[in-house]
């Protein structure tokens, strides 16, 4: 089985890593739109154009399933995208909503991008949630270093979620900073990539194959990618 995943940059690789762990017998094609990140502050119209190009690219790679490994695209565009193409497309947020509902979790804090917060996606599906936009995080996470600026930003955002019982990492970049999150908060967090792979069933007997495409590829990105995806992989620069 060939699975295509996409995001604005390296964040969706946290979802890919969960897939590889659970389903090593698949072929994976990943697209990170590093030339256009961050997505979290773009308009819905801009996001729609970018997502369309990436989905068409993944379809050209003969994938069987597309995973929107991006909270921003999932929250703003999934309802429009899901039946638009001749391929099954799944989003990253629905499994997390289902996990929370099934386990009757309450008093949920959500860290996410400005556009995800603006979409009110979580508020429409859950009660008693507090969403905070974290615009500083994605550009700092993409640098690949745990800088003081990043730590201070995380600390300040977490401060706003102090009374919550759980925190959803509502952007797929955030699992990359779990050590910082745990330094400043003891509230249990929910990783959307984990929720997703735990709820789907992939039956595949392929040999593991990983192809990664980025719209802008630098040596920094290659270094950061290799910290997240340890398995053998091909990495290419490709504009779509
Ligand atoms: N990782 C993405 C998300 O889950 C996109 C973040 C961004 O580029 O702002 O929302």
């Amino acid at each position: 089985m060939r699975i295509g995943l996409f995001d604005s940059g390296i964040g969706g690789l946290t979802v890919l890593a969960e897939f590889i762990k659970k389903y090593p017998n698949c072929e994976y094609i990943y697209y990170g739109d590093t030339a256009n990140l961050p997505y979290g502050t773009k308009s819905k119209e801009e996001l729609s154009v970018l997502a369309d190009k990436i989905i068409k690219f993944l379809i050209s790679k003969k994938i069987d399933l597309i995973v929107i490994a991006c909270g921003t695209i999932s929250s703003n565009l999934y309802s429009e995208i899901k039946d638009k193409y001749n391929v099954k497309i799944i989003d990253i947020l629905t499994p997390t909503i289902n996990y929370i509902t099934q386990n009757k979790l309450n008093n949920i804090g959500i860290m996410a991008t400005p556009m995800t917060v603006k979409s009110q996606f979580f508020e429409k599906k859950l009660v008693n949630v507090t969403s905070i936009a974290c615009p500083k995080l994605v550009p700092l996470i993409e640098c690949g270093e745990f800088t003081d600026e990043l730590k201070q930003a995380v600390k300040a955002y977490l401060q706003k979620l102090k009374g919550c019982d759980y925190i959803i990492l509502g952007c797929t970049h955030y699992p990359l900073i779990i050590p910082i999150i745990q330094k400043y908060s003891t509230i249990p967090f929910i990783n959307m990539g984990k929720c997703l792979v735990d709820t789907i069933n992939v039956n595949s007997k392929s040999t593991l194959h990983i192809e990664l495409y980025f719209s802008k590829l630098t040596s920094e990105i290659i270094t950061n990618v290799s910290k997240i995806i340890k398995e053998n992989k091909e990495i290419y620069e490709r504009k779509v």
Side-chain angles (χ1 to χ4, degrees), residues 144-203:
E145 301 291 332
F146 285 1
T147 58
D148 284 343
E149 193 183 356
L150 176 59
K151 289 178 197 162
Q152 289 317 310
V154 173
K155 189 179 173 189
Y157 291 135
L158 284 169
Q159 193 72 20
K160 298 186 191 171
L161 296 176
K162 244 181 157 179
C164 295
D165 291 337
Y166 297 89
I167 294 177
I168 298 175
L169 306 184
C171 164
T172 53
H173 277 75
Y174 302 166
L176 296 172
I177 52 163
I178 284 172
I180 305 182
I181 292 172
Q182 287 180 321
K183 182 169 183 229
Y184 295 115
S185 172
T186 52
I187 301 172
F189 60 85
I190 296 165
N191 180 340
M192 300 192 297
K194 270 211 172 77
C195 289
L196 173 60
V197 296
D198 284 349
T199 52
I200 61 164
N201 223 336
V202 174
N203 199 352

Side-chain angles (χ1 to χ4, degrees), residues 6 51-60 66 81 85 89:
F6 73 96
D52 180 63
K53 287 186 194 168
I54 297 170
I55 290 169
K56 285 178 178 154
F57 169 74
L58 291 174
I59 290 172
S60 79
I66 292 182
I81 286 175
Y85 304 89
I89 302 181

Side-chain angles (χ1 to χ4, degrees), residues 34 212 214-219 221-222 225 235-238:
T34 39
L212 310 174
F214 293 90
S215 46
K216 184 176 149 211
L217 189 58
T218 60
S219 55
I221 292 172
I222 295 175
V225 167
I235 308 184
Y236 304 99
E237 182 171 76
R238 182 71 58 91

